[in-house]
Amino acid sequence: MTASLEQLRRCHFAVDLGAARTRVYVKGAGLVVDQPSVAAVNTRTGALIAVGEFAERMTGRTPDYIRVVRPVSGGTVVDIEMAQRMLRHLLGDRMRRSLRRKARLRAAACTPHDADPLAQRATIETLVGLGARRVELVDTLIAAAVGCGLPVERAEATMIMVCGAAATQVAVLSLGSIVTAERVPVGGEAVDHAIVQHLRHEHALMLPSQSVRPLQLALHGNGLTAHGPAATEIHGRDVATGLARSVLVDTAAVREAIQTPLTAVLDGIGKVLRECPPELVADLAERGLTMVGGSALLPGLDQMVREATGMPVHIAERPDVCAVQGLGEMLEGRIEPLVLDPLGAY
């Protein structure tokens, strides 16, 4: 359930626990943490070795006794204890001492649309372990819409698509609430996996996980259209020999390989539009759809959505931090609720 604006104004900090990155907004200080949701642990002693960007760089490069873990999957905390330890180190001693001085420390957090009670409870317990006496939950769709400046409180339709690492969420909003929404379990990680499998099957090349994003960025400009680059050189390991090898990859074949996960996203958008009242669809024909989330930056994705829906498609100015910025706007009291005065009795 989404908390009221009055409850959120009483919160002292907000957390966006994403599968790819963790972001923390502190009231009065702004965005203080923006790091990958990764931790490295010594399996022999249980000690935490690294968190954030340093831990992410260790992926695939560690000895047997060091394990790199991701305590958040699909916007849901899957390892509460590790998530708490990761957040403590990301915040640092100074910031944690500052928060502990607050009387009755309150926190706010994003949760995916239609998150089940167990997922909500895991998020609450994670922040309670940081000292929060009360945790308010906000739907990621509403937080992201506020963060990118959409007029969600008005009696007009706004459509938003949150492109996350593990899932894509699409919704139509009006009067500060969700009219209709759909959560598709396909995100940036599915696109990464499709590219890795294509290179393995077609070129017998095993690609390090850190090289997938550069491959996507190589599809610059209209990357998902025929106007992108014709070929890209990729370095990896030969599946048979284990030796380093470079191949020239046809980007048209890469575009075809990632069509399957992207088609599921387009189907989700179509379902939301079919379930939306006709009056609101007419509004959307003018205002279009706004894309937020880290995967919204996949080159050419906006053009693909534009061609599939026939609507204007916009990418938010800073799509990766819209959700936590929306929480910050609510914490700082910059969002005014729409007041509906009851009609007098006649």
Side-chain angles (χ1 to χ4, degrees):
M1 179 181 293
T2 296
S4 69
L5 288 174
E6 185 60 34
Q7 291 170 323
L8 290 170
R9 287 194 186 102
R10 299 173 186 169
C11 293
H12 301 99
F13 72 103
V15 179
D16 178 16
L17 280 167
R21 298 184 75 86
T22 292
R23 300 177 175 93
V24 180
Y25 185 103
V26 175
K27 192 173 185 177
L31 186 63
V32 298
V33 173
D34 185 0
Q35 294 278 338
S37 304
V38 188
V41 184
N42 186 325
T43 56
R44 294 174 181 171
T45 64
L48 198 62
I49 296 173
V51 295
E53 291 179 357
F54 185 36
E56 188 174 50
R57 289 198 298 269
M58 295 169 68
T59 303
R61 296 182 170 92
T62 60
D64 292 340
Y65 67 91
I66 296 178
R67 186 166 58 99
V68 177
V69 297
R70 294 180 177 270
V72 185
S73 176
T76 300
V77 178
V78 294
D79 188 337
I80 295 174
E81 181 185 356
M82 188 56 63
Q84 290 173 350
R85 295 174 68 185
M86 180 185 73
L87 276 170
R88 289 192 193 103
H89 280 77
L90 289 176
L91 282 169
D93 292 337
R94 184 178 178 182
M95 184 57 69
R96 282 190 291 120
R97 282 197 301 267
S98 174
L99 289 174
R100 280 200 295 263
R101 293 193 192 103
K102 308 289 185 183
R104 295 192 59 83
L105 182 65
R106 289 172 176 248
C110 288
T111 55
H113 179 67
D114 285 345
D116 59 73
L118 280 178
Q120 294 180 1
R121 174 55 57 186
T123 301
I124 291 172
E125 288 187 10
T126 299
L127 298 186
V128 167
L130 291 177
R133 301 287 297 275
R134 183 181 175 91
V135 179
E136 308 291 353
L137 300 180
V138 180
D139 195 302
T140 301
L141 291 164
I142 294 178
V146 171
C148 64
L150 293 179
V152 295
E153 74 281 357
R154 298 180 188 172
E156 56 189 45
T158 54
M159 190 171 188
I160 188 166
M161 182 167 79
V162 179
C163 308
T168 300
Q169 303 173 69
V170 188
V172 174
L173 311 174
S174 181
L175 288 174
S177 300
I178 295 174
V179 177
T180 179
E182 182 71 15
R183 186 169 183 260
V184 183
V186 173
E189 291 175 354
V191 176
D192 291 350
H193 182 70
I195 295 174
V196 169
Q197 291 302 311
H198 168 75
L199 293 175
R200 188 182 182 94
H201 294 153
E202 299 297 325
H203 301 279
L205 193 74
M206 189 176 294
L207 193 67
S209 58
Q210 292 86 352
S211 300
V212 178
R213 289 296 173 180
L215 175 60
Q216 292 181 1
L217 295 176
L219 305 175
H220 61 270
N222 295 318
L224 299 181
T225 71
H227 304 293
T232 301
E233 187 177 13
I234 299 299
H235 305 281
R237 189 181 74 183
D238 190 280
V239 173
T241 66
L243 300 176
R245 185 162 65 91
S246 299
V247 297
L248 198 63
V249 177
D250 180 13
T251 52
V254 174
R255 289 194 294 270
E256 184 177 348
I258 63 179
Q259 286 300 314
T260 300
L262 294 178
T263 299
V265 174
L266 297 178
D267 290 344
I269 296 173
K271 183 177 179 180
V272 169
L273 290 174
R274 287 193 299 272
E275 294 177 354
C276 189
E279 294 81 4
L280 296 183
V281 174
D283 289 346
L284 296 175
E286 294 182 12
R287 299 184 181 87
L289 178 149
T290 301
M291 294 172 55
V292 303
S295 298
L297 297 173
L298 182 63
L301 179 58
D302 57 334
Q303 180 65 27
M304 175 182 276
V305 175
R306 191 177 295 114
E307 292 174 356
T309 62
M311 297 190 310
V313 177
H314 317 283
I315 299 178
E317 185 176 350
R318 294 191 62 192
D320 52 336
V321 297
C322 281
V324 73
Q325 289 288 9
L327 286 177
E329 294 286 313
M330 298 177 195
L331 262 62
E332 303 285 3
R334 300 190 186 118
I335 306 300
E336 293 296 330
L338 179 66
V339 178
L340 299 177
D341 294 326
L343 297 175
Y346 292 98

